[in-house]
Amino acid sequence: GSPVQIPNYKESFMDNHTIKMVFKEYIHPLDTKVIQKMIDIEGVDKYVKKLDTIAYIRLFIYAQLKKSENLAVISQSVSRKKTVQRLVGIDSISKSQLSRKNRQIPHEIPEAILRHLIQKVQYTLGPVKAGKALLQLHLIDSSTISMCLSGYEWADFRETKAGIKMHTSIRLCNDTLSLDKMILTPARPADETQLDELIVYQLDVLHVFDRGYFNFAKFDAYSEKGIKFATRIKANTVVHVVEELLVDPSSPITRHAMVTIGNMKHPLQLIETTDSNGKPIRIVCNDAKRSAQEISDIYRNRWKIELFFKWIKQHLVITTLYGKSENAVYNQVYLAMITFCLIILMKNKIGFKGTLLEMLRWIKDGYDQSMATFILKVRKEPERESSGRRRWDNERIFAETLAQYETGDVLHLDDLTYDPFV
């Protein structure tokens, strides 16, 4: 799971990467043999003469890296750039051909590729070290991509709105964030309908989610199976006190009790505290071994998944859509997340110590370079003042974001311009 160790950088690593191109090395984790088997089973490329599915995947990953705003721009990049032609394997493609391919490819193919890459990322980052298992959290939430109803009737959820939801689980372990699962659905179904799919059935994991996933029957079932969770309770939730517990008067915890809620059978810890603006928060947790302060601190980590949504919406192409069909929309989002996972793998492969956003920019600008040239540039010593300034800015913006999130103001998450993945 650790970055590649290089005993003699110039002699061994440079020789190995002299003729390798950055983009090809970047997409190397994609298992083309497995992908081709899926394509053959689906019969997607049966009568295709030009843009086969492998070329399509490569081209739309390139489009994500370059943040191409529409199909016309993607088409032009192929016709005008020899390097793109060599990387993708085609010398020209029309906008209509791209649109047709985007509609035709079953979204189950990029979805399966994403699941495979998530496994690779988790294996690469390494298992939880002994003694650190209690720090492994799974943050669960959804984010909506809004669309105009007139073009996306299949995804309607309001009178004049359409949209899809990204139901997502993020793994947080020792301050390292990685994608665990993503399920795409039309926006209308309630969040709780996808909760079972996002739960990880491991005893050393604590799931943290918000009130959109409130379901007494599910909570009882998870408690019965030993699946741990922490969540906020709604204002109208009926609470039955089993026992009031002592609270340290010097702590921010105002109440600690053992309770049952609603019609649940299993007892929960109830912790009452306040957010940064003094607004009361009520949290329940079915892990009896955790202290009240620990549960309070753990729940405050939940806002980090909002930073993930902000990152992908700002730095990848998922809010500007390339097509209107369900396949086209889902394919685009899954390919964006494939791009995201490949960035993490590339960052780890070359041992890059900067942020994920910096890695994205390096790949975007140097996709057509040799790996030898690329690595020399990436590993060049950064300017001293930029590192210190960036660290200070990130800490300040993290604090501001947390304060805004706790007050329910999350619209800013689509607009901020910083990188939380360090």
Side-chain angles (χ1 to χ4, degrees):
S2 302
V4 177
Q5 299 298 313
I6 306 170
N8 189 320
Y9 176 64
K10 288 188 176 179
E11 292 181 10
S12 61
F13 200 71
M14 292 291 288
D15 289 345
N16 291 336
H17 291 283
T18 300
I19 58 174
K20 291 184 178 180
M21 304 302 291
V22 170
F23 186 79
K24 287 189 176 180
E25 194 69 11
Y26 168 72
I27 64 171
H28 181 71
L30 297 175
D31 193 331
T32 53
K33 289 183 180 179
V34 174
I35 296 172
Q36 191 60 55
K37 284 184 180 179
M38 288 190 289
I39 294 167
D40 294 341
I41 291 171
E42 294 290 339
V44 178
D45 291 341
K46 196 170 183 180
Y47 303 106
V48 173
K49 295 181 179 179
K50 194 167 191 177
L51 184 64
D52 61 29
T53 302
I54 297 292
Y56 161 86
I57 290 170
R58 290 173 178 167
L59 180 56
F60 276 79
I61 288 174
Y62 168 84
Q64 285 288 341
L65 285 174
K66 303 297 281 187
K67 211 172 181 183
S68 303
E69 58 189 25
N70 54 51
L71 295 180
V73 172
I74 300 173
S75 172
Q76 291 166 7
S77 68
V78 176
S79 60
R80 295 175 182 176
K81 296 180 180 180
K82 296 290 185 183
T83 52
V84 177
Q85 295 172 12
R86 289 196 297 269
L87 294 173
V88 176
I90 54 176
D91 55 11
S92 66
I93 195 72
S94 69
K95 176 182 172 182
S96 61
Q97 287 173 308
L98 290 174
S99 178
R100 183 163 57 251
K101 193 70 176 180
N102 215 14
R103 293 193 306 270
Q104 290 174 344
I105 293 180
H107 64 262
E108 288 81 5
I109 291 178
E111 181 183 6
I113 296 170
L114 175 60
R115 286 200 304 268
H116 181 62
L117 276 181
I118 288 172
Q119 291 177 345
K120 283 193 175 184
V121 169
Q122 292 175 354
Y123 177 80
T124 300
L125 294 180
V128 182
K129 296 180 181 179
K132 298 292 185 180
L134 291 180
L135 296 177
Q136 186 174 348
L137 306 179
H138 279 241
L139 313 178
I140 294 174
D141 204 351
S142 71
S143 184
T144 301
I145 299 174
S146 296
M147 301 176 289
C148 178
L149 180 59
S150 61
Y152 302 87
E153 293 86 354
W154 56 270
D156 71 298
F157 73 101
R158 292 179 187 166
E159 287 187 8
T160 59
K161 286 275 188 179
I164 63 169
K165 274 185 180 177
M166 301 180 289
H167 303 271
T168 308
S169 172
I170 298 294
R171 181 179 294 190
L172 174 62
C173 186
N174 299 335
D175 290 328
T176 299
L177 286 170
S178 63
L179 180 64
D180 189 68
K181 291 181 182 179
M182 177 173 282
I183 303 166
L184 300 182
T185 68
R188 184 180 290 277
D191 289 349
E192 66 177 79
T193 61
Q194 302 302 317
L195 184 55
D196 288 344
E197 294 297 320
L198 297 173
I199 290 292
V200 177
Y201 290 86
Q202 296 175 5
L203 300 182
D204 61 345
V205 169
L206 178 66
H207 304 84
V208 185
F209 43 83
D210 210 0
R211 290 170 290 189
Y213 296 92
F214 217 73
N215 185 300
F216 295 137
K218 290 184 185 295
F219 293 171
D220 253 336
Y222 297 154
S223 298
E224 188 75 33
K225 295 174 183 177
I227 303 303
K228 301 178 181 69
F229 66 87
T231 185
R232 285 175 71 176
I233 61 175
K234 297 180 179 180
N236 62 350
T237 302
V238 177
V239 177
H240 307 279
V241 178
V242 177
E243 181 184 5
E244 293 285 352
L245 303 173
L246 293 176
V247 174
D248 182 351
S250 64
S251 79
I253 308 297
T254 57
R255 185 187 182 192
H256 186 199
M258 293 301 298
V259 303
T260 58
I261 59 174
N263 58 3
M264 279 190 66
K265 299 175 183 177
H266 291 81
L268 306 170
Q269 291 198 66
L270 170 68
I271 290 87
E272 294 186 3
T273 183
T274 56
D275 61 21
S276 58
N277 292 296
K279 185 178 178 181
I281 298 175
R282 296 196 298 168
I283 307 163
V284 290
C285 178
N286 68 344
D287 188 350
K289 294 182 179 180
R290 296 183 187 269
S291 69
Q293 186 60 57
E294 186 181 8
I295 294 170
S296 176
D297 292 340
I298 283 171
Y299 188 82
R300 291 178 190 275
N301 277 307
R302 203 203 72 80
W303 67 281
K304 291 182 180 178
I305 195 170
E306 301 292 347
L307 299 181
F308 165 80
F309 290 135
K310 184 230 57 81
W311 198 98
I312 62 172
K313 285 183 177 181
Q314 176 149 4
H315 303 304
L316 299 173
V317 188
I318 59 174
T319 54
T320 301
L321 298 172
Y322 294 145
K324 294 185 176 181
S325 70
E326 184 175 3
N327 267 344
V329 173
Y330 285 8
N331 284 341
Q332 181 176 338
V333 177
Y334 283 131
L335 282 165
M337 299 317 305
I338 288 168
T339 303
F340 175 80
C341 290
L342 290 173
I343 297 167
I344 294 175
L345 291 171
M346 185 71 150
K347 182 177 184 290
N348 189 80
K349 177 184 289 187
I350 67 173
F352 182 61
K353 302 301 182 184
T355 68
L356 201 64
L357 178 56
E358 289 169 337
M359 186 77 268
L360 167 59
R361 288 171 174 166
W362 276 113
I363 299 169
K364 174 183 176 182
D365 295 338
Y367 74 95
D368 56 348
Q369 298 174 355
S370 71
M371 281 295 291
T373 301
F374 179 76
I375 291 168
L376 279 176
K377 289 181 178 180
V378 169
R379 293 202 170 185
K380 189 176 180 180
E381 192 71 25
E383 295 293 329
R384 181 178 299 177
E385 63 174 354
S386 64
S387 177
R389 177 62 180 272
R390 174 172 55 79
R391 182 177 298 276
W392 183 87
D393 282 350
N394 275 351
E395 289 176 355
R396 174 181 58 80
I397 299 172
F398 260 79
E400 291 176 356
T401 304
L402 177 57
Q404 288 175 306
Y405 173 72
E406 288 179 339
T407 59
D409 176 16
V410 295
L411 294 178
H412 67 288
L413 293 169
D414 291 342
D415 303 320
L416 251 52
T417 54
Y418 74 102
D419 180 23
F421 297 94
V422 295

